[in-house]
Amino acid sequence: MTLDLRTDEPVVGLARQRELIQAVLEASSADETRWLEWKSNLDVSKAEGAFAVSKAILGFANRMPDIAQQWAEGHAYLLVGVEEGALYGVPKYDVEKVDPWLSRYIGNFGRYQLTYVPFDYDGSSFDVMLVDVFSPRWGDPIHPLRKDFQNFRAGTVFHRYAGRTAPASAAEIDALSERARRAAKRTNIDIAAIAGAVALVPPSTDALTNFISTLREELMKQVQTSHLRNKATGGTPLNGYIDSFLGFSTDPRTPEDFEEEVEEYLSDLGQAMQNSLLQKIGTVGAPLALKLTNPGDENLTKVEVVLSFPETVMACVADDVEVDWPDLPEQYGSSTSSISARAVAGIQVNSPAFRLPDLHAPEIVRGEGRTFVRFAPVDLRPHETIALDSITLYSTTDDSASEIDGEWWATATNASGKACRRLVIPIERLEIDVMRSFLPGVTGKSE
């Protein structure tokens, strides 16, 4: 039976702790993993119980960070007093007493938290011990056993394998040594702004919506005009298709066909108008240009840079904005061609106002009250400097501020930690005529 529990987040709070206990009750012995272990019954005040709990803690602590992060954000859990299909509970002791019993075996390792979870089962109440061992980190030392117990000597290094905790193999000792070595290798990155500002522009959403709405009304008037003309001449839909086949001027499209064509056109036009405005902002304003530097003497692999700004700031890749103006739908009721490809097969014949994004272009997302710009990972040789893709930043919110307070952070796959700095960008107030900027062939600057 597969463990019925979400494993993409830590077990935090009483409700989640009880979910974990319930999942163990419904599990099988094969469900013990690299991040979860349970014991039916132990008394932690006794040497045997204290050692069993300590062994589990050390095994979880001696995991590799990249492997541990696959479950519960790196956390690992020991449950005592429960197993598959049965709940026993444990004696409940003050944590102040439990810590010294465990420290005999784990030393001063303190990256764990012990608690007792009340749980009702078969009409009775039990206390289950829950030990949360925190995520291992790059740079952490190896954590050995500190006191002899039976056949296990002080200095034994326990490691958590799939479903068991056992003395670490030579390969695991090598890996843990590499984990400890990374303590001296921290992410060392410099990012500097070469140029750039946040363009403050007038709001454009209402203007665009009103323009599109008015244009829709004007285009759909063609249907009514054509209907009145056909009514006056005695035309019928069947005659219209026959006339079209013979090369006459009657439109083979139904009103519904034309309406669908208009909506597709307006959707593409709206995107093109937005892109046109962004092009004007990027041309008149100053896109943000950053340089990324590795000031250290070691290679950095897959360096990922993320920028963070308040959600009032919007962003786009400066060189990735392309305006592709769609073709205006042919006037309804005046087609001079034979039955169109659209009418026959539903094929889109207008030029789309979009293109496939560059796989290496920065990713821009908005959420949690922020705008994030995530650049594609790059490798950096020692003392190498590269330029990041230019980003157009703009905002329609005028709070009389002169600058935007953001931040950046960078990580590398072969170094621990995260470099993080404040990023202050000045605000540039642009005098842009929004409606002129929406249209092709004009500058968009106020006269």
Side-chain angles (χ1 to χ4, degrees), residues 194-207:
I194 303 173
V198 177
L200 183 63
V201 297
S204 60
T205 302
D206 290 345

Side-chain angles (χ1 to χ4, degrees), residues 40 154 302 323-324 330 376:
S40 59
K302 296 188 183 303
V323 183
D324 197 348
E330 191 171 1

Side-chain angles (χ1 to χ4, degrees), residues 121-344:
Y121 185 71
D122 281 349
S124 300
S125 295
F126 300 88
D127 289 311
V128 176
M129 178 187 289
L130 172 62
V131 183
D132 178 356
V133 182
F134 304 157
S135 310
R137 303 165 299 185
W138 295 112
D140 281 354
I142 298 175
H143 302 290
L145 181 65
R146 299 291 174 172
K147 178 180 172 60
D148 293 351
F149 180 82
Q150 297 179 354
N151 295 330
F152 297 107
R153 300 302 178 195
T156 301
V157 176
F158 291 108
H159 176 74
R160 182 64 184 179
Y161 296 92
R164 64 189 178 93
T165 301
S169 66
E172 295 296 347
I173 294 293
D174 290 342
L176 291 171
S177 297
E178 172 62 19
R179 184 186 76 174
R181 190 187 69 82
R182 288 199 189 182
K185 188 175 181 181
R186 309 288 295 181
T187 301
N188 185 15
I189 293 290
D190 285 338
I191 295 181
I194 303 173
V198 177
L200 183 63
V201 297
S204 60
T205 302
D206 290 345
L208 177 60
T209 300
N210 292 337
F211 181 89
I212 294 294
S213 178
T214 300
L215 183 57
R216 177 184 291 106
E217 292 178 4
E218 291 299 317
L219 289 172
M220 293 308 299
K221 285 180 181 179
Q222 298 175 23
V223 175
Q224 181 67 21
T225 300
S226 176
H227 174 71
L228 293 176
R229 182 171 61 250
N230 287 339
K231 185 175 181 180
T233 59
T236 67
L238 180 59
N239 288 336
Y241 280 107
I242 294 174
D243 289 347
S244 177
F245 182 76
L246 296 176
F248 299 147
S249 62
T250 304
D251 197 319
R253 296 169 296 180
T254 66
E256 291 76 15
D257 291 337
F258 182 69
E259 182 177 11
E260 181 180 351
E261 188 175 341
V262 166
E263 291 303 324
E264 291 178 1
Y265 166 74
L266 293 177
S267 176
D268 288 345
L269 179 65
Q271 183 64 60
M273 293 175 72
Q274 287 280 22
N275 288 349
S276 177
L277 176 60
L278 294 180
Q279 275 195 347
K280 300 301 186 299
I281 294 173
T283 300
V284 178
L288 177 65
L290 301 173
K291 63 179 182 180
L292 174 65
T293 301
N294 175 9
D297 297 325
E298 297 189 34
N299 290 311
L300 292 176
T301 59
K302 296 188 183 303
V303 177
E304 184 181 72
V305 175
V306 179
L307 310 182
S308 173
F309 302 100
E311 65 178 348
T312 54
V313 175
M314 291 164 282
C316 65
V317 182
D319 296 331
D320 199 39
V321 179
E322 182 174 286
V323 183
D324 197 348
W325 296 102
D327 297 328
L328 185 71
E330 191 171 1
Q331 183 175 351
Y332 187 77
S334 62
S335 174
T336 58
S337 63
S338 60
I339 298 177
S340 67
R342 177 187 296 277
V344 173

Side-chain angles (χ1 to χ4, degrees), residues 13 35 58 74-75 81 84 103 105-106 146 196 237 246 264 278 281 308 310 363 375-376:
W35 66 276
L58 293 173
H75 288 250
E84 58 276 11
S103 63
Y105 301 102
I106 66 175
R146 299 291 174 172
L246 296 176
E264 291 178 1
L278 294 180
I281 294 173
S308 173
E363 177 189 15
F375 294 88

Side-chain angles (χ1 to χ4, degrees), residues 43-81:
D43 188 343
V44 76
S45 68
K46 308 298 183 183
E48 183 177 0
F51 170 76
V53 172
S54 299
K55 177 184 173 184
I57 292 174
L58 293 173
F60 287 139
N62 287 322
R63 296 176 301 156
M64 296 300 289
D66 51 346
I67 295 177
Q69 282 293 327
Q70 297 178 58
W71 307 280
E73 296 183 5
H75 288 250
Y77 301 94
L78 170 68
L79 290 171
V80 182

Side-chain angles (χ1 to χ4, degrees), residues 415-436:
S416 60
K418 177 172 70 174
C420 185
R421 301 285 189 278
R422 186 182 178 207
L423 182 63
V424 178
I425 308 297
I427 292 176
E428 181 182 14
R429 301 171 188 275
L430 300 184
E431 297 297 330
I432 288 183
D433 185 324
V434 171
M435 283 310 304
R436 287 174 61 85

